[in-house]
Amino acid sequence: MSCVSAPAPIVVFAYNRPEHLRLALNCLAKADLASESPLWVFADGPRGVADSKSVAAVGSVLSEPVWRENFSSVEVVSARRNKGLANSVISGVSTVLESHDRV
């Protein structure tokens, strides 16, 4: 008997690599307990005009319905401006810990 009632949420940080994100999500979707696990994705905003297209492509990957079929729930938090990795991780983990006891 386990003390843990449900799997910890899966937290992913994304920026401007849509194919890397798709590969990562596909692999996570195949993991044991994926269908019982909530997925949180924090997508950082573009640093400038040059990143806008690839950041938008990340948003397109995240809007694909397949992810909602593979996880118990999917929360996508998209930043309008670039926060940088450190700020994104601190903010994202803090956000998830507001409603879950672990990540």
Side-chain angles (χ1 to χ4, degrees), residues 41-90:
V41 182
F42 293 88
D44 209 354
R47 286 187 203 147
V49 176
D51 296 324
S52 296
K53 186 175 180 179
S54 58
V55 169
V58 163
S60 294
V61 170
L62 293 173
S63 67
E64 294 172 8
V66 66
W67 312 125
R68 298 193 185 286
E69 297 167 7
N70 287 294
F71 299 95
S72 66
S73 63
V74 177
E75 294 289 334
V76 175
V77 179
S78 298
R80 297 181 82 197
R81 296 188 182 116
N82 188 272
K83 294 179 174 184
L85 181 58
N87 288 331
S88 291
V89 170
I90 292 167

mmCIF file of all heavy atoms in Angstrom, residues 41-90:
data_model
loop_
_atom_site.group_PDB
_atom_site.id
_atom_site.type_symbol
_atom_site.label_atom_id
_atom_site.label_comp_id
_atom_site.label_asym_id
_atom_site.label_seq_id
_atom_site.Cartn_x
_atom_site.Cartn_y
_atom_site.Cartn_z
ATOM 1 N N VAL A 41 2.505 22.692 -18.665
ATOM 2 C CA VAL A 41 3.538 23.180 -19.574
ATOM 3 C C VAL A 41 3.604 24.699 -19.446
ATOM 4 O O VAL A 41 2.589 25.389 -19.569
ATOM 5 C CB VAL A 41 3.261 22.789 -21.035
ATOM 6 C CG1 VAL A 41 4.392 23.278 -21.928
ATOM 7 C CG2 VAL A 41 3.094 21.282 -21.172
ATOM 8 N N PHE A 42 4.806 25.182 -19.191
ATOM 9 C CA PHE A 42 5.062 26.615 -19.103
ATOM 10 C C PHE A 42 5.865 27.012 -20.345
ATOM 11 O O PHE A 42 7.004 26.585 -20.515
ATOM 12 C CB PHE A 42 5.816 26.945 -17.817
ATOM 13 C CG PHE A 42 4.985 26.696 -16.598
ATOM 14 C CD1 PHE A 42 4.972 25.441 -15.997
ATOM 15 C CD2 PHE A 42 4.177 27.688 -16.084
ATOM 16 C CE1 PHE A 42 4.183 25.195 -14.896
ATOM 17 C CE2 PHE A 42 3.375 27.439 -14.966
ATOM 18 C CZ PHE A 42 3.382 26.197 -14.375
ATOM 19 N N ALA A 43 5.226 27.771 -21.217
ATOM 20 C CA ALA A 43 5.838 28.182 -22.474
ATOM 21 C C ALA A 43 6.269 29.639 -22.361
ATOM 22 O O ALA A 43 5.440 30.527 -22.140
ATOM 23 C CB ALA A 43 4.848 28.000 -23.623
ATOM 24 N N ASP A 44 7.573 29.867 -22.487
ATOM 25 C CA ASP A 44 8.103 31.220 -22.368
ATOM 26 C C ASP A 44 7.813 32.014 -23.633
ATOM 27 O O ASP A 44 7.662 31.461 -24.720
ATOM 28 C CB ASP A 44 9.611 31.161 -22.103
ATOM 29 C CG ASP A 44 10.107 32.354 -21.298
ATOM 30 O OD1 ASP A 44 9.315 33.284 -21.048
ATOM 31 O OD2 ASP A 44 11.299 32.357 -20.921
ATOM 32 N N GLY A 45 7.732 33.312 -23.486
ATOM 33 C CA GLY A 45 7.471 34.196 -24.617
ATOM 34 C C GLY A 45 8.733 34.494 -25.402
ATOM 35 O O GLY A 45 9.844 34.178 -24.974
ATOM 36 N N PRO A 46 8.578 35.119 -26.553
ATOM 37 C CA PRO A 46 9.737 35.407 -27.409
ATOM 38 C C PRO A 46 10.642 36.483 -26.804
ATOM 39 O O PRO A 46 10.169 37.394 -26.132
ATOM 40 C CB PRO A 46 9.104 35.896 -28.714
ATOM 41 C CG PRO A 46 7.760 36.390 -28.329
ATOM 42 C CD PRO A 46 7.325 35.576 -27.145
ATOM 43 N N ARG A 47 11.941 36.355 -27.075
ATOM 44 C CA ARG A 47 12.907 37.388 -26.676
ATOM 45 C C ARG A 47 12.817 38.583 -27.611
ATOM 46 O O ARG A 47 13.113 39.699 -27.224
ATOM 47 C CB ARG A 47 14.324 36.837 -26.723
ATOM 48 C CG ARG A 47 14.647 35.916 -25.611
ATOM 49 C CD ARG A 47 16.128 35.565 -25.652
ATOM 50 N NE ARG A 47 16.298 34.297 -24.951
ATOM 51 C CZ ARG A 47 17.183 33.391 -25.253
ATOM 52 N NH1 ARG A 47 18.028 33.585 -26.246
ATOM 53 N NH2 ARG A 47 17.260 32.284 -24.564
ATOM 54 N N GLY A 48 12.453 38.291 -28.854
ATOM 55 C CA GLY A 48 12.358 39.347 -29.861
ATOM 56 C C GLY A 48 11.619 38.838 -31.080
ATOM 57 O O GLY A 48 11.113 37.713 -31.095
ATOM 58 N N VAL A 49 11.593 39.652 -32.105
ATOM 59 C CA VAL A 49 10.870 39.315 -33.328
ATOM 60 C C VAL A 49 11.405 38.024 -33.949
ATOM 61 O O VAL A 49 10.644 37.208 -34.468
ATOM 62 C CB VAL A 49 10.949 40.485 -34.331
ATOM 63 C CG1 VAL A 49 10.294 40.122 -35.647
ATOM 64 C CG2 VAL A 49 10.297 41.725 -33.739
ATOM 65 N N ALA A 50 12.709 37.814 -33.873
ATOM 66 C CA ALA A 50 13.322 36.630 -34.493
ATOM 67 C C ALA A 50 12.803 35.325 -33.894
ATOM 68 O O ALA A 50 12.782 34.295 -34.571
ATOM 69 C CB ALA A 50 14.844 36.695 -34.357
ATOM 70 N N ASP A 51 12.374 35.347 -32.642
ATOM 71 C CA ASP A 51 11.882 34.140 -31.969
ATOM 72 C C ASP A 51 10.376 33.950 -32.090
ATOM 73 O O ASP A 51 9.855 32.900 -31.722
ATOM 74 C CB ASP A 51 12.213 34.193 -30.466
ATOM 75 C CG ASP A 51 13.689 34.182 -30.194
ATOM 76 O OD1 ASP A 51 14.423 33.489 -30.934
ATOM 77 O OD2 ASP A 51 14.117 34.844 -29.238
ATOM 78 N N SER A 52 9.688 34.937 -32.574
ATOM 79 C CA SER A 52 8.218 34.898 -32.582
ATOM 80 C C SER A 52 7.645 33.699 -33.323
ATOM 81 O O SER A 52 6.699 33.059 -32.847
ATOM 82 C CB SER A 52 7.652 36.187 -33.175
ATOM 83 O OG SER A 52 7.992 37.279 -32.357
ATOM 84 N N LYS A 53 8.207 33.380 -34.486
ATOM 85 C CA LYS A 53 7.670 32.279 -35.292
ATOM 86 C C LYS A 53 7.842 30.932 -34.580
ATOM 87 O O LYS A 53 6.910 30.135 -34.514
ATOM 88 C CB LYS A 53 8.347 32.250 -36.658
ATOM 89 C CG LYS A 53 7.761 31.239 -37.603
ATOM 90 C CD LYS A 53 8.399 31.349 -38.981
ATOM 91 C CE LYS A 53 7.805 30.330 -39.933
ATOM 92 N NZ LYS A 53 8.402 30.432 -41.273
ATOM 93 N N SER A 54 9.019 30.673 -34.026
ATOM 94 C CA SER A 54 9.251 29.386 -33.356
ATOM 95 C C SER A 54 8.481 29.295 -32.040
ATOM 96 O O SER A 54 8.007 28.218 -31.670
ATOM 97 C CB SER A 54 10.744 29.137 -33.141
ATOM 98 O OG SER A 54 11.325 30.175 -32.386
ATOM 99 N N VAL A 55 8.321 30.407 -31.347
ATOM 100 C CA VAL A 55 7.512 30.403 -30.123
ATOM 101 C C VAL A 55 6.047 30.137 -30.466
ATOM 102 O O VAL A 55 5.361 29.383 -29.768
ATOM 103 C CB VAL A 55 7.697 31.724 -29.337
ATOM 104 C CG1 VAL A 55 6.681 31.857 -28.226
ATOM 105 C CG2 VAL A 55 9.120 31.809 -28.776
ATOM 106 N N ALA A 56 5.563 30.721 -31.546
ATOM 107 C CA ALA A 56 4.188 30.448 -31.997
ATOM 108 C C ALA A 56 4.028 28.977 -32.374
ATOM 109 O O ALA A 56 2.980 28.371 -32.111
ATOM 110 C CB ALA A 56 3.828 31.351 -33.176
ATOM 111 N N ALA A 57 5.061 28.387 -32.981
ATOM 112 C CA ALA A 57 5.008 26.962 -33.339
ATOM 113 C C ALA A 57 4.921 26.089 -32.094
ATOM 114 O O ALA A 57 4.245 25.060 -32.093
ATOM 115 C CB ALA A 57 6.210 26.581 -34.188
ATOM 116 N N VAL A 58 5.579 26.489 -31.021
ATOM 117 C CA VAL A 58 5.458 25.778 -29.738
ATOM 118 C C VAL A 58 4.003 25.830 -29.275
ATOM 119 O O VAL A 58 3.435 24.831 -28.839
ATOM 120 C CB VAL A 58 6.413 26.374 -28.678
ATOM 121 C CG1 VAL A 58 6.020 25.949 -27.268
ATOM 122 C CG2 VAL A 58 7.851 25.968 -28.980
ATOM 123 N N GLY A 59 3.378 26.992 -29.385
ATOM 124 C CA GLY A 59 1.965 27.126 -29.019
ATOM 125 C C GLY A 59 1.075 26.215 -29.841
ATOM 126 O O GLY A 59 0.118 25.628 -29.325
ATOM 127 N N SER A 60 1.400 26.052 -31.115
ATOM 128 C CA SER A 60 0.626 25.144 -31.969
ATOM 129 C C SER A 60 0.758 23.702 -31.509
ATOM 130 O O SER A 60 -0.230 22.954 -31.487
ATOM 131 C CB SER A 60 1.079 25.269 -33.422
ATOM 132 O OG SER A 60 0.770 26.540 -33.928
ATOM 133 N N VAL A 61 1.955 23.290 -31.146
ATOM 134 C CA VAL A 61 2.159 21.928 -30.623
ATOM 135 C C VAL A 61 1.319 21.729 -29.371
ATOM 136 O O VAL A 61 0.645 20.707 -29.202
ATOM 137 C CB VAL A 61 3.653 21.658 -30.332
ATOM 138 C CG1 VAL A 61 3.839 20.351 -29.561
ATOM 139 C CG2 VAL A 61 4.467 21.641 -31.620
ATOM 140 N N LEU A 62 1.335 22.719 -28.497
ATOM 141 C CA LEU A 62 0.602 22.592 -27.228
ATOM 142 C C LEU A 62 -0.905 22.589 -27.409
ATOM 143 O O LEU A 62 -1.631 22.076 -26.557
ATOM 144 C CB LEU A 62 1.021 23.715 -26.278
ATOM 145 C CG LEU A 62 2.464 23.631 -25.803
ATOM 146 C CD1 LEU A 62 2.842 24.869 -25.017
ATOM 147 C CD2 LEU A 62 2.689 22.357 -24.988
ATOM 148 N N SER A 63 -1.388 23.112 -28.507
ATOM 149 C CA SER A 63 -2.841 23.137 -28.733
ATOM 150 C C SER A 63 -3.368 21.850 -29.371
ATOM 151 O O SER A 63 -4.583 21.694 -29.528
ATOM 152 C CB SER A 63 -3.218 24.343 -29.597
ATOM 153 O OG SER A 63 -2.700 24.188 -30.902
ATOM 154 N N GLU A 64 -2.478 20.932 -29.706
ATOM 155 C CA GLU A 64 -2.914 19.669 -30.305
ATOM 156 C C GLU A 64 -3.717 18.856 -29.285
ATOM 157 O O GLU A 64 -3.287 18.688 -28.142
ATOM 158 C CB GLU A 64 -1.708 18.872 -30.795
ATOM 159 C CG GLU A 64 -0.981 19.544 -31.938
ATOM 160 C CD GLU A 64 0.319 18.864 -32.315
ATOM 161 O OE1 GLU A 64 0.613 17.763 -31.804
ATOM 162 O OE2 GLU A 64 1.054 19.441 -33.133
ATOM 163 N N PRO A 65 -4.876 18.343 -29.677
ATOM 164 C CA PRO A 65 -5.741 17.618 -28.739
ATOM 165 C C PRO A 65 -5.151 16.309 -28.211
ATOM 166 O O PRO A 65 -5.590 15.814 -27.177
ATOM 167 C CB PRO A 65 -7.016 17.354 -29.543
ATOM 168 C CG PRO A 65 -6.721 17.695 -30.946
ATOM 169 C CD PRO A 65 -5.472 18.501 -30.992
ATOM 170 N N VAL A 66 -4.160 15.763 -28.876
ATOM 171 C CA VAL A 66 -3.593 14.474 -28.461
ATOM 172 C C VAL A 66 -3.073 14.527 -27.028
ATOM 173 O O VAL A 66 -3.144 13.525 -26.308
ATOM 174 C CB VAL A 66 -2.500 13.998 -29.444
ATOM 175 C CG1 VAL A 66 -1.291 14.926 -29.418
ATOM 176 C CG2 VAL A 66 -2.085 12.579 -29.139
ATOM 177 N N TRP A 67 -2.575 15.669 -26.588
ATOM 178 C CA TRP A 67 -2.007 15.734 -25.235
ATOM 179 C C TRP A 67 -3.097 15.558 -24.187
ATOM 180 O O TRP A 67 -2.878 14.932 -23.161
ATOM 181 C CB TRP A 67 -1.246 17.047 -25.034
ATOM 182 C CG TRP A 67 -0.321 17.330 -26.162
ATOM 183 C CD1 TRP A 67 -0.271 18.462 -26.928
ATOM 184 C CD2 TRP A 67 0.673 16.448 -26.713
ATOM 185 N NE1 TRP A 67 0.676 18.339 -27.904
ATOM 186 C CE2 TRP A 67 1.277 17.122 -27.799
ATOM 187 C CE3 TRP A 67 1.110 15.165 -26.406
ATOM 188 C CZ2 TRP A 67 2.291 16.544 -28.561
ATOM 189 C CZ3 TRP A 67 2.118 14.599 -27.173
ATOM 190 C CH2 TRP A 67 2.695 15.288 -28.227
ATOM 191 N N ARG A 68 -4.276 16.078 -24.444
ATOM 192 C CA ARG A 68 -5.382 15.931 -23.487
ATOM 193 C C ARG A 68 -5.882 14.485 -23.428
ATOM 194 O O ARG A 68 -6.494 14.085 -22.461
ATOM 195 C CB ARG A 68 -6.508 16.885 -23.838
ATOM 196 C CG ARG A 68 -6.045 18.331 -23.761
ATOM 197 C CD ARG A 68 -7.153 19.337 -23.796
ATOM 198 N NE ARG A 68 -6.621 20.680 -23.843
ATOM 199 C CZ ARG A 68 -6.061 21.328 -22.829
ATOM 200 N NH1 ARG A 68 -5.958 20.755 -21.669
ATOM 201 N NH2 ARG A 68 -5.609 22.564 -22.974
ATOM 202 N N GLU A 69 -5.589 13.720 -24.469
ATOM 203 C CA GLU A 69 -5.973 12.310 -24.496
ATOM 204 C C GLU A 69 -4.986 11.430 -23.729
ATOM 205 O O GLU A 69 -5.317 10.307 -23.369
ATOM 206 C CB GLU A 69 -6.047 11.819 -25.949
ATOM 207 C CG GLU A 69 -7.100 12.530 -26.774
ATOM 208 C CD GLU A 69 -6.944 12.269 -28.263
ATOM 209 O OE1 GLU A 69 -6.102 11.442 -28.658
ATOM 210 O OE2 GLU A 69 -7.681 12.922 -29.039
ATOM 211 N N ASN A 70 -3.775 11.927 -23.499
ATOM 212 C CA ASN A 70 -2.717 11.112 -22.914
ATOM 213 C C ASN A 70 -2.405 11.407 -21.453
ATOM 214 O O ASN A 70 -1.667 10.650 -20.826
ATOM 215 C CB ASN A 70 -1.434 11.259 -23.737
ATOM 216 C CG ASN A 70 -1.546 10.544 -25.051
ATOM 217 O OD1 ASN A 70 -1.641 9.333 -25.096
ATOM 218 N ND2 ASN A 70 -1.567 11.297 -26.136
ATOM 219 N N PHE A 71 -2.921 12.498 -20.929
ATOM 220 C CA PHE A 71 -2.670 12.875 -19.533
ATOM 221 C C PHE A 71 -4.006 13.116 -18.845
ATOM 222 O O PHE A 71 -5.015 13.378 -19.501
ATOM 223 C CB PHE A 71 -1.794 14.133 -19.479
ATOM 224 C CG PHE A 71 -0.440 13.934 -20.119
ATOM 225 C CD1 PHE A 71 -0.224 14.285 -21.443
ATOM 226 C CD2 PHE A 71 0.601 13.363 -19.408
ATOM 227 C CE1 PHE A 71 1.001 14.081 -22.054
ATOM 228 C CE2 PHE A 71 1.839 13.154 -20.009
ATOM 229 C CZ PHE A 71 2.040 13.512 -21.324
ATOM 230 N N SER A 72 -4.019 13.052 -17.515
ATOM 231 C CA SER A 72 -5.293 13.230 -16.809
ATOM 232 C C SER A 72 -5.840 14.642 -16.988
ATOM 233 O O SER A 72 -7.047 14.847 -16.998
ATOM 234 C CB SER A 72 -5.149 12.892 -15.331
ATOM 235 O OG SER A 72 -4.291 13.807 -14.675
ATOM 236 N N SER A 73 -4.951 15.605 -17.122
ATOM 237 C CA SER A 73 -5.330 16.987 -17.407
ATOM 238 C C SER A 73 -4.116 17.681 -18.007
ATOM 239 O O SER A 73 -2.985 17.218 -17.844
ATOM 240 C CB SER A 73 -5.793 17.717 -16.142
ATOM 241 O OG SER A 73 -4.727 17.811 -15.204
ATOM 242 N N VAL A 74 -4.371 18.775 -18.696
ATOM 243 C CA VAL A 74 -3.288 19.547 -19.304
ATOM 244 C C VAL A 74 -3.527 21.021 -19.004
ATOM 245 O O VAL A 74 -4.593 21.558 -19.299
ATOM 246 C CB VAL A 74 -3.206 19.331 -20.830
ATOM 247 C CG1 VAL A 74 -2.115 20.214 -21.435
ATOM 248 C CG2 VAL A 74 -2.968 17.871 -21.164
ATOM 249 N N GLU A 75 -2.534 21.640 -18.399
ATOM 250 C CA GLU A 75 -2.560 23.082 -18.140
ATOM 251 C C GLU A 75 -1.405 23.698 -18.905
ATOM 252 O O GLU A 75 -0.260 23.287 -18.742
ATOM 253 C CB GLU A 75 -2.387 23.382 -16.641
ATOM 254 C CG GLU A 75 -3.513 22.903 -15.778
ATOM 255 C CD GLU A 75 -4.781 23.710 -15.964
ATOM 256 O OE1 GLU A 75 -4.704 24.893 -16.348
ATOM 257 O OE2 GLU A 75 -5.855 23.147 -15.728
ATOM 258 N N VAL A 76 -1.706 24.675 -19.739
ATOM 259 C CA VAL A 76 -0.669 25.382 -20.485
ATOM 260 C C VAL A 76 -0.662 26.833 -20.017
ATOM 261 O O VAL A 76 -1.692 27.500 -20.034
ATOM 262 C CB VAL A 76 -0.919 25.316 -22.010
ATOM 263 C CG1 VAL A 76 0.107 26.169 -22.754
ATOM 264 C CG2 VAL A 76 -0.888 23.875 -22.494
ATOM 265 N N VAL A 77 0.500 27.277 -19.595
ATOM 266 C CA VAL A 77 0.672 28.658 -19.157
ATOM 267 C C VAL A 77 1.667 29.294 -20.123
ATOM 268 O O VAL A 77 2.841 28.918 -20.155
ATOM 269 C CB VAL A 77 1.188 28.734 -17.703
ATOM 270 C CG1 VAL A 77 1.380 30.173 -17.275
ATOM 271 C CG2 VAL A 77 0.253 27.982 -16.761
ATOM 272 N N SER A 78 1.183 30.227 -20.922
ATOM 273 C CA SER A 78 2.016 30.871 -21.931
ATOM 274 C C SER A 78 2.339 32.301 -21.510
ATOM 275 O O SER A 78 1.426 33.082 -21.218
ATOM 276 C CB SER A 78 1.299 30.904 -23.279
ATOM 277 O OG SER A 78 1.057 29.590 -23.728
ATOM 278 N N ALA A 79 3.622 32.614 -21.477
ATOM 279 C CA ALA A 79 4.058 33.969 -21.136
ATOM 280 C C ALA A 79 4.026 34.838 -22.391
ATOM 281 O O ALA A 79 4.395 34.387 -23.472
ATOM 282 C CB ALA A 79 5.466 33.937 -20.554
ATOM 283 N N ARG A 80 3.600 36.045 -22.251
ATOM 284 C CA ARG A 80 3.576 36.968 -23.390
ATOM 285 C C ARG A 80 4.966 37.512 -23.680
ATOM 286 O O ARG A 80 5.307 37.786 -24.822
ATOM 287 C CB ARG A 80 2.609 38.118 -23.108
ATOM 288 C CG ARG A 80 1.172 37.612 -22.952
ATOM 289 C CD ARG A 80 0.233 38.729 -22.700
ATOM 290 N NE ARG A 80 -0.088 39.325 -24.004
ATOM 291 C CZ ARG A 80 -0.619 40.511 -24.149
ATOM 292 N NH1 ARG A 80 -0.881 41.255 -23.109
ATOM 293 N NH2 ARG A 80 -0.890 40.966 -25.348
ATOM 294 N N ARG A 81 5.755 37.660 -22.624
ATOM 295 C CA ARG A 81 7.123 38.161 -22.753
ATOM 296 C C ARG A 81 8.086 37.107 -22.251
ATOM 297 O O ARG A 81 7.720 36.247 -21.455
ATOM 298 C CB ARG A 81 7.301 39.435 -21.932
ATOM 299 C CG ARG A 81 6.458 40.573 -22.425
ATOM 300 C CD ARG A 81 6.822 41.858 -21.699
ATOM 301 N NE ARG A 81 5.968 42.932 -22.167
ATOM 302 C CZ ARG A 81 5.098 43.572 -21.408
ATOM 303 N NH1 ARG A 81 4.984 43.264 -20.138
ATOM 304 N NH2 ARG A 81 4.361 44.525 -21.917
ATOM 305 N N ASN A 82 9.324 37.199 -22.652
ATOM 306 C CA ASN A 82 10.330 36.232 -22.238
ATOM 307 C C ASN A 82 10.741 36.484 -20.788
ATOM 308 O O ASN A 82 11.148 37.582 -20.430
ATOM 309 C CB ASN A 82 11.549 36.313 -23.165
ATOM 310 C CG ASN A 82 12.518 35.201 -22.895
ATOM 311 O OD1 ASN A 82 13.385 35.327 -22.050
ATOM 312 N ND2 ASN A 82 12.363 34.107 -23.606
ATOM 313 N N LYS A 83 10.629 35.434 -19.973
ATOM 314 C CA LYS A 83 11.014 35.506 -18.569
ATOM 315 C C LYS A 83 12.434 35.015 -18.350
ATOM 316 O O LYS A 83 13.041 35.325 -17.346
ATOM 317 C CB LYS A 83 10.094 34.625 -17.722
ATOM 318 C CG LYS A 83 8.667 35.054 -17.659
ATOM 319 C CD LYS A 83 7.900 34.064 -16.795
ATOM 320 C CE LYS A 83 6.487 34.488 -16.558
ATOM 321 N NZ LYS A 83 5.802 33.568 -15.643
ATOM 322 N N GLY A 84 12.912 34.183 -19.253
ATOM 323 C CA GLY A 84 14.199 33.521 -19.057
ATOM 324 C C GLY A 84 13.972 32.218 -18.311
ATOM 325 O O GLY A 84 12.977 32.047 -17.599
ATOM 326 N N LEU A 85 14.902 31.296 -18.476
ATOM 327 C CA LEU A 85 14.723 29.956 -17.914
ATOM 328 C C LEU A 85 14.602 29.956 -16.402
ATOM 329 O O LEU A 85 13.685 29.350 -15.848
ATOM 330 C CB LEU A 85 15.869 29.033 -18.356
ATOM 331 C CG LEU A 85 15.776 27.595 -17.859
ATOM 332 C CD1 LEU A 85 14.478 26.933 -18.316
ATOM 333 C CD2 LEU A 85 16.973 26.798 -18.317
ATOM 334 N N ALA A 86 15.500 30.620 -15.705
ATOM 335 C CA ALA A 86 15.477 30.590 -14.236
ATOM 336 C C ALA A 86 14.151 31.126 -13.698
ATOM 337 O O ALA A 86 13.517 30.498 -12.840
ATOM 338 C CB ALA A 86 16.651 31.383 -13.667
ATOM 339 N N ASN A 87 13.720 32.269 -14.194
ATOM 340 C CA ASN A 87 12.459 32.843 -13.722
ATOM 341 C C ASN A 87 11.274 31.961 -14.097
ATOM 342 O O ASN A 87 10.316 31.840 -13.326
ATOM 343 C CB ASN A 87 12.266 34.248 -14.279
ATOM 344 C CG ASN A 87 13.199 35.249 -13.630
ATOM 345 O OD1 ASN A 87 13.592 35.093 -12.478
ATOM 346 N ND2 ASN A 87 13.569 36.269 -14.369
ATOM 347 N N SER A 88 11.321 31.345 -15.277
ATOM 348 C CA SER A 88 10.239 30.455 -15.699
ATOM 349 C C SER A 88 10.144 29.242 -14.783
ATOM 350 O O SER A 88 9.044 28.844 -14.381
ATOM 351 C CB SER A 88 10.454 29.985 -17.139
ATOM 352 O OG SER A 88 10.299 31.042 -18.036
ATOM 353 N N VAL A 89 11.280 28.658 -14.447
ATOM 354 C CA VAL A 89 11.282 27.475 -13.581
ATOM 355 C C VAL A 89 10.787 27.831 -12.184
ATOM 356 O O VAL A 89 9.919 27.145 -11.627
ATOM 357 C CB VAL A 89 12.684 26.825 -13.529
ATOM 358 C CG1 VAL A 89 12.750 25.757 -12.457
ATOM 359 C CG2 VAL A 89 13.040 26.241 -14.892
ATOM 360 N N ILE A 90 11.291 28.895 -11.623
ATOM 361 C CA ILE A 90 10.869 29.298 -10.269
ATOM 362 C C ILE A 90 9.378 29.599 -10.249
ATOM 363 O O ILE A 90 8.644 29.106 -9.391
ATOM 364 C CB ILE A 90 11.692 30.507 -9.788
ATOM 365 C CG1 ILE A 90 13.139 30.085 -9.553
ATOM 366 C CG2 ILE A 90 11.085 31.112 -8.525
ATOM 367 C CD1 ILE A 90 14.110 31.247 -9.381
#
